[in-house]
């Protein structure tokens, strides 16, 4: 069985939560909770309020995701 494709959306950081979690408002007006993906966490990339980010999440679990790219 093939692995399911991840959904990728652009969004904006609206709230900072504990443990490197963030509330992200997606471009389609949905709010999700996202955490930093591996490379962003490993290289200590700073993410602040108002940053534009790319978020990936599974089609099965649509309210939690991973931040995979950050633009200032």
């Amino acid at each position: 069985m093939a692995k399911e494709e991840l959904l990728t959306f652009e969004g904006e950081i609206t709230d900072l939560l504990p443990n490197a979690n963030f509330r992200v408002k997606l471009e389609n007006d949905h709010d999700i909770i996202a955490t930093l993906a591996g490379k962003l966490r490993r290289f200590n990339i700073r993410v602040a309020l108002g940053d534009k980010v790319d978020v990936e999440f599974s089609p099965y679990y649509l309210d939690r995701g991973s931040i995979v790219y950050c633009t200032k």
Side-chain angles (χ1 to χ4, degrees):
M1 177 178 252
K3 182 179 177 183
E4 291 292 327
E5 300 255 345
L6 296 175
L7 301 174
T8 303
F9 285 98
E10 292 182 8
E12 182 177 343
I13 303 289
T14 59
D15 193 16
L16 304 176
L17 303 172
N19 297 330
N21 288 322
F22 303 91
R23 188 169 310 277
V24 178
K25 185 170 190 84
L26 299 178
E27 59 190 6
N28 57 5
D29 292 332
H30 288 276
D31 284 330
I32 66 166
I33 296 175
T35 187
L36 291 176
K39 295 283 184 171
L40 291 173
R41 188 182 295 251
R42 180 178 173 199
F43 293 112
N44 205 17
I45 304 299
R46 300 289 182 198
V47 180
L49 283 175
D51 285 353
K52 302 289 184 188
V53 293
D54 289 343
V55 180
E56 284 185 349
F57 50 93
S58 169
Y60 299 111
Y61 198 55
L62 298 175
D63 57 349
R64 304 268 310 172
S66 296
I67 298 172
V68 293
Y69 187 76
C70 177
T71 59
K72 297 292 178 186

